[in-house]
Amino acid sequence: IKTLCLPDSILEPGVGEAITLSGVIQNLQHPDLKSFGFDVSWSRVLLARQWLADQGIVDSTLNTGSLFALPYSSDSIDVVYTSHSMEPNGGHEEPILRELFRVTRRYLLLIEPAYELAPEDSRKRMEANGYCQDLPGVAQRLGYKVLDHRLFPHTPNPLNPTALTIIEKNSANPHPGHFLACPRYQTRLEERNGHMYSEEALMAYPILLGIPCLRPENGIIASLFPQ
């Protein structure tokens, strides 16, 4: 990331226990960095928050969310990166890429299975497991600018080689001024009475033990929501 830009904000979708996110934050050494992460599982987000706290990182914004409906404003995050979070979603590459690109402001980095660069036995394994495929091709068909696509040097499983795909956006739109957004309508969310509430969308999302639950199905229609 440092070779591309020094981001003011980063997001890791599918953050898991935040082991990768903590390493990225520590490597960037940016005192004013705004870092975000989400996972489909509330329990994993809880573990992620504890892991980050153990590393001395207490100012990341963590919440639940869906890859298909990101709870962030469009053009709000400088660098969005994945670490095998798209992997099990073969056949759904396009809608996920659309969402990731929507919230990206400058660069989208995909660290995912290297199907096109893998040997035959690895490709058969990826097909059997339903892994994502042809991410650079899908990105180009969507009109995105793919800067690079190459094998990633660090792959824990040699049967599952990893690729790094770099997509440039450099949005000319003004920053929306906020980050979290209603996953259904992309309207601004504010904390209100133990929930994240969108006054424009009239939707409320619960906060459980300090973790906002921002998957679309968590939303509650609330035409009136007290302060």
Side-chain angles (χ1 to χ4, degrees), residues 107-183:
Y107 294 97
L108 172 59
L109 280 61
L110 306 174
I111 302 172
E112 300 292 344
Y115 181 84
E116 300 73 28
L117 306 174
E120 182 65 23
D121 57 342
S122 294
R123 289 200 298 271
K124 289 182 177 179
R125 179 180 180 274
M126 293 176 190
E127 292 167 359
N129 288 330
Y131 287 177
C132 61
Q133 301 178 21
D134 193 27
L135 294 180
V138 174
Q140 288 171 339
R141 288 194 292 275
L142 288 171
Y144 304 159
K145 183 178 180 181
V146 178
L147 295 183
D148 200 359
H149 177 67
R150 64 178 185 268
L151 284 172
F152 194 65
H154 307 293
T155 300
N157 184 355
L159 292 176
N160 188 29
T162 300
L164 169 64
T165 306
I166 302 174
I167 300 170
E168 184 180 38
K169 184 176 182 181
N170 279 336
S171 173
N173 296 325
H175 193 283
H178 58 280
F179 294 95
L180 292 180
C182 171

Side-chain angles (χ1 to χ4, degrees), residues 6 33 35 37 86 88-89 95 126 135 141 178 185 215:
L6 181 61
L33 180 70
S35 56
M86 290 187 67
N89 292 282
M126 293 176 190
L135 294 180
R141 288 194 292 275
H178 58 280
Y185 305 108
R215 292 166 59 180

Side-chain angles (χ1 to χ4, degrees), residues 85-105:
S85 57
M86 290 187 67
E87 181 177 274
N89 292 282
H92 302 286
E93 293 86 354
E94 182 173 324
I96 295 175
L97 275 179
R98 286 184 183 276
E99 272 296 277
L100 295 173
F101 193 77
R102 177 182 66 80
V103 305
T104 298
R105 186 160 184 81

Side-chain angles (χ1 to χ4, degrees), residues 12 15-26 43-58 60 62:
E12 182 180 338
V15 71
E17 290 79 28
I19 295 173
T20 300
L21 178 61
S22 64
V24 172
I25 293 171
Q26 291 163 346
S43 301
R44 294 190 79 184
V45 176
L46 185 66
L47 291 173
R49 184 174 67 182
Q50 184 58 57
W51 170 262
L52 290 177
D54 291 344
Q55 311 306 306
I57 302 169
V58 296
S60 284
L62 302 176

